[in-house]
Amino acid sequence: MNFDLDDQQQMIRDSAREFAEKEIKPVAGEFDEAGKFPSEIVKKLGQLGFMGMMVDPKYGGSGMDTISYAIAMEEISKIDASASVAMSVNNSLVCWGLETFGSEEQKQKYLVPAAKGEKICSFGLTEPAAGSDVV
């Protein structure tokens, strides 16, 4: 089995690594101390195409493969868990669900701006008698 990254995957890795080092690392501690959501970082992640990595380009996504998504997540996560969780929730829980199960109207209204990082999305979870504590 070949585990070498193709040219696009290497580019994604390098872009995510450079972004994390230059844009996130200098401010991550401040955000953690203040308990502040990294909204400007998330907006920039969207501009780079990282908030809708596997979403079809017709819906504002990057149309990339799962390996590229995992590589980008790894690079962002190395520097800041908060930014990577925001990226993960948007890609995996929000965009995937909307693209897979949403109506065309929902895709246009919610998926397109979510995939572009123009809207901040989240999810809700309730587990009576359990305790995931997904915060």
Side-chain angles (χ1 to χ4, degrees):
M1 183 175 249
N2 182 359
F3 290 103
D4 293 334
L5 303 180
D6 66 27
D7 291 343
Q8 181 176 344
Q9 292 165 340
Q10 288 177 32
M11 181 201 66
I12 293 299
R13 181 200 58 211
D14 295 345
S15 296
R17 182 179 293 163
E18 181 179 343
F19 177 79
E21 286 288 336
K22 289 183 178 177
E23 298 284 336
I24 301 174
K25 191 173 188 176
V27 296
E30 296 171 28
F31 286 151
D32 285 348
E33 284 289 319
K36 184 179 173 186
F37 181 79
S39 55
E40 286 303 312
I41 297 296
V42 169
K43 185 181 284 186
K44 290 178 182 180
L45 285 166
Q47 292 167 350
L48 288 171
F50 290 158
M51 295 302 284
M53 289 192 72
M54 296 179 292
V55 174
D56 190 308
K58 74 180 181 182
Y59 296 118
S62 300
M64 299 201 181
D65 64 305
T66 306
I67 299 295
S68 295
Y69 168 59
I71 290 166
M73 281 297 305
E74 180 179 43
E75 293 300 327
I76 301 300
S77 296
K78 286 179 186 177
I79 301 301
D80 184 46
S82 296
S84 69
V85 167
M87 184 177 151
S88 172
V89 166
N90 201 71
N91 275 281
S92 300
L93 298 172
V94 175
C95 289
W96 177 82
L98 283 168
E99 189 170 21
T100 304
F101 301 110
S103 66
E104 188 61 31
E105 181 182 352
Q106 291 168 325
K107 290 175 185 179
Q108 293 301 322
K109 185 174 181 178
Y110 302 111
L111 178 59
V112 170
K116 292 179 178 181
E118 296 170 352
K119 296 284 186 185
I120 304 288
C121 298
S122 63
F123 76 107
L125 173 71
T126 180
E127 292 183 306
S132 293
D133 193 18
V134 297
V135 178

